[in-house]
Amino acid sequence: IQLKLDELSLLKCACSLYLNNPNFNYATSLLKIIILQLNSTNSKMLRYASNAICTAINDELRLDVSLQICQIIKQYAIDNKFNIRFTVLKPLANLELEDVSLSENKKVKNKVRKTLLSRKGKKDMKDSKQYMEQLEQISAKETLEIKNKKNSQILSIVFYVYLRILKKMKIH
């Protein structure tokens, strides 16, 4: 006896599994399956996949999922020689990206680290409250720098995909 499974129910399972466990071992494979359905002509599957991707992007805080989605969409577009439907690019339009100002962060980070590099300064401030506050500032600056780095990676991927599609449209 052969079991015939409904494609929509399989997609629903993949989406719910990914949304509930984005750090699952096979999360990238699930994401590839979901993104593949963004190029589908079936409106129900397209809508369900699009909603799942948009939910994943909106629910995250660290930009890891957004970066992963952008990388998979970029690879999918490259594999299909940028002959993709606009619905594949829809999640890229839903990204909420911030302005990236790396030069400011580097100056502040270097200034704070210079005060912590001297051994005598470390000994003097080790037990003080000021030392703990500076460590908190450094960790906050580093997380901001990581977020800005991911943000700039996402922007470069989005621009790359859009410009390649525009370039391909201009040729044809």
Side-chain angles (χ1 to χ4, degrees):
I1 299 173
Q2 268 188 330
L3 290 175
K4 184 178 179 186
L5 295 174
D6 186 19
E7 289 181 7
L8 185 61
S9 61
L10 288 173
L11 180 64
K12 286 181 182 180
C13 289
C15 291
S16 63
L17 184 60
Y18 180 77
L19 290 175
N20 291 330
N21 303 313
N23 296 323
F24 180 56
N25 291 348
Y26 299 105
T28 353
S29 301
L30 290 173
L31 202 53
K32 287 178 183 179
I33 291 169
I34 296 168
I35 289 175
L36 209 135
Q37 297 306 315
L38 290 174
N39 208 24
S40 173
T41 55
N42 185 343
S43 63
K44 287 183 181 179
M45 293 184 71
L46 175 65
R47 185 179 35 210
Y48 207 87
S50 179
N51 287 341
I53 297 291
C54 291
T55 303
I57 288 173
N58 292 335
D59 287 350
E60 74 160 339
L61 298 174
R62 297 181 311 164
L63 296 176
D64 291 330
V65 173
S66 296
L67 182 60
Q68 189 178 25
I69 288 171
C70 288
Q71 290 170 341
I72 292 173
I73 288 175
K74 176 186 173 186
Q75 191 58 47
Y76 181 72
I78 290 171
D79 291 345
N80 290 314
K81 298 179 181 165
F82 298 95
N83 288 328
I84 54 176
R85 298 179 70 207
F86 72 94
T87 53
V88 177
L89 302 175
K90 199 173 185 179
L92 299 181
N94 289 335
L95 291 170
E96 294 180 11
L97 300 174
E98 301 167 1
D99 292 335
V100 179
S101 57
L102 293 176
S103 59
E104 251 180 53
N105 294 334
K106 286 182 182 177
K107 289 178 187 175
V108 172
K109 182 180 174 185
N110 289 337
K111 184 178 178 183
V112 172
R113 286 206 177 190
K114 282 180 185 176
T115 61
L116 293 177
L117 287 178
S118 70
R119 289 186 181 186
K120 188 176 182 182
K122 278 186 179 180
K123 286 181 182 178
D124 293 342
M125 292 191 310
K126 210 170 207 173
D127 295 327
S128 70
K129 198 175 194 181
Q130 186 180 12
Y131 180 73
M132 296 305 285
E133 288 175 2
Q134 283 189 351
L135 282 178
E136 288 174 8
Q137 287 177 352
I138 289 173
S139 65
K141 296 295 179 190
E142 287 176 350
T143 56
L144 181 65
E145 185 176 299
I146 290 170
K147 189 174 180 179
N148 282 341
K149 183 179 178 183
K150 288 179 184 176
N151 204 357
S152 63
Q153 287 176 335
I154 290 171
L155 277 172
S156 68
I157 290 172
V158 169
F159 283 130
Y160 175 78
V161 171
Y162 278 123
L163 291 175
R164 290 295 302 250
I165 289 173
L166 288 172
K167 187 177 179 181
K168 184 163 183 75
M169 289 173 56
K170 185 178 178 182
I171 292 173
H172 295 290

